[in-house]
Amino acid sequence: MADEWRVGELADVSGLTVRTLHHYDDIGLLTPDRTTAGHRVYRREQVERLYRISVLRRFGTSLEDIATALDDPTWTLDGALRTHLATLEDQVLRMERLLHRLTVVPADGPADEDVCRRLLAVLEDTIVAATEPLRRIAVLVYADLEAAHRHLVDVFGLEPGPLHRDDTGTVVHAEVRTADGMVMLHRVAPEWGLASPATLGGATGMLVVTVQDVDAHHDAVVARGGTVTFPPADQPYGVREYGALGPEGEPWSFWAPLR
């Protein structure tokens, strides 16, 4: 490893531009040493600082906040990430509300003037009230949580979450995830009136999952051995959709809004 880097060399290895490094120097965020000829030169201390800057930038932290953080002896990465997480949660909730309200504007509905008035009202009202429900979490009941978890991950392509086991090694709680949230897999619990589709011989509800490309997802599920109940088709309610059977034969639906 080199003991020092010129600005162009550091730009190459860091993936940043020379202009960005110059800007960091200009605002006092990352100050290099200087050669006798006045050229910028970066040593290990500055490279380590640049790494911390880059990590915080990836989390969306402003340059001003990064400067304060790195020069504050009481600052910790854990605290910064927790603060940033809270900020992101608020932004996500506002965007989800905006997205939901925009989807209720019909494409062939009211005149442009009415639509514009509604959109402006939406933009003005994105504050989430303290008593407002924030996010839903689906809970699905299965007789065999480990097998259900495997099916949802291996066949449907959901992201795997943790499997929690009791002292005997039996899975008693599991999770899978989509990009916007979590699906909890719950054990059969007669004391709570929770029965599995395998026990009931049917389902009292179903989960609908939005995907990027309905046809591509359908083909992947078929290739992984999934059972499709109806093929991808454009629906009159504005989506392209197909159906499949879940781990215990219950119905699932995968769709995407029609463009």
Side-chain angles (χ1 to χ4, degrees), residues 136-216:
R136 78 279 183 223
I137 296 176
V139 179
L140 303 177
V141 181
Y142 290 112
D144 187 335
L145 297 185
E146 190 162 10
H149 187 273
R150 186 165 54 249
H151 183 103
L152 297 179
V153 171
D154 294 346
V155 179
F156 286 172
L158 275 67
E159 182 179 347
L163 294 168
H164 300 280
R165 303 177 185 271
D166 61 17
D167 294 338
T168 68
T170 302
V171 176
V172 293
H173 176 87
E175 297 172 10
V176 293
R177 298 178 183 275
T178 61
D180 73 334
M182 174 175 62
V183 179
M184 296 171 55
L185 310 184
H186 199 290
R187 65 177 178 85
V188 172
E191 67 273 24
W192 299 107
L194 297 177
S196 71
T199 303
L200 294 175
T204 60
M206 62 181 292
L207 202 63
V208 178
V209 179
T210 300
V211 296
Q212 287 275 17
D213 187 321
V214 171
D215 294 270

Side-chain angles (χ1 to χ4, degrees), residues 61-202:
T61 310
S62 70
L63 294 179
E64 181 180 357
D65 288 342
I66 291 174
T68 301
L70 294 183
D71 296 329
D72 181 358
T74 65
W75 179 88
T76 64
L77 180 59
D78 179 68
L81 294 183
R82 289 179 184 275
T83 299
H84 185 60
L85 177 61
T87 302
L88 285 180
E89 284 282 355
D90 182 66
Q91 292 174 353
V92 168
L93 291 172
R94 290 170 183 260
M95 289 302 100
E96 286 180 346
R97 166 180 276 194
L98 180 59
L99 177 63
H100 170 72
R101 294 193 177 186
L102 290 178
T103 58
V104 302
V105 178
D108 56 349
D112 287 347
E113 181 178 349
D114 293 333
V115 171
C116 290
R117 187 178 298 109
R118 292 176 63 182
L119 292 181
L120 288 173
V122 167
L123 293 174
E124 292 174 355
D125 184 23
T126 57
I127 297 175
V128 181
T131 57
E132 182 178 349
L134 298 181
R135 184 173 289 120
R136 78 279 183 223
I137 296 176
V139 179
L140 303 177
V141 181
Y142 290 112
D144 187 335
L145 297 185
E146 190 162 10
H149 187 273
R150 186 165 54 249
H151 183 103
L152 297 179
V153 171
D154 294 346
V155 179
F156 286 172
L158 275 67
E159 182 179 347
L163 294 168
H164 300 280
R165 303 177 185 271
D166 61 17
D167 294 338
T168 68
T170 302
V171 176
V172 293
H173 176 87
E175 297 172 10
V176 293
R177 298 178 183 275
T178 61
D180 73 334
M182 174 175 62
V183 179
M184 296 171 55
L185 310 184
H186 199 290
R187 65 177 178 85
V188 172
E191 67 273 24
W192 299 107
L194 297 177
S196 71
T199 303
L200 294 175

Side-chain angles (χ1 to χ4, degrees), residues 33-77:
D33 296 332
R34 296 278 182 167
T35 67
T36 55
H39 300 299
R40 293 176 174 88
V41 60
Y42 297 82
R43 296 188 168 86
R44 177 165 180 164
E45 181 181 349
Q46 287 102 350
V47 172
E48 290 178 351
R49 183 178 175 90
L50 178 60
Y51 173 77
R52 294 194 292 272
I53 293 170
S54 298
V55 168
L56 292 174
R57 285 297 286 164
R58 284 177 180 246
F59 287 113
T61 310
S62 70
L63 294 179
E64 181 180 357
D65 288 342
I66 291 174
T68 301
L70 294 183
D71 296 329
D72 181 358
T74 65
W75 179 88
T76 64
L77 180 59

Side-chain angles (χ1 to χ4, degrees), residues 151 153-157 213-232 242-245 254:
H151 183 103
V153 171
D154 294 346
V155 179
F156 286 172
D213 187 321
V214 171
D215 294 270
H217 191 272
H218 165 270
D219 294 345
V221 167
V222 171
R224 296 168 186 154
T227 301
V228 170
T229 54
F230 62 90
Y242 83 93
L245 294 182
F254 298 89

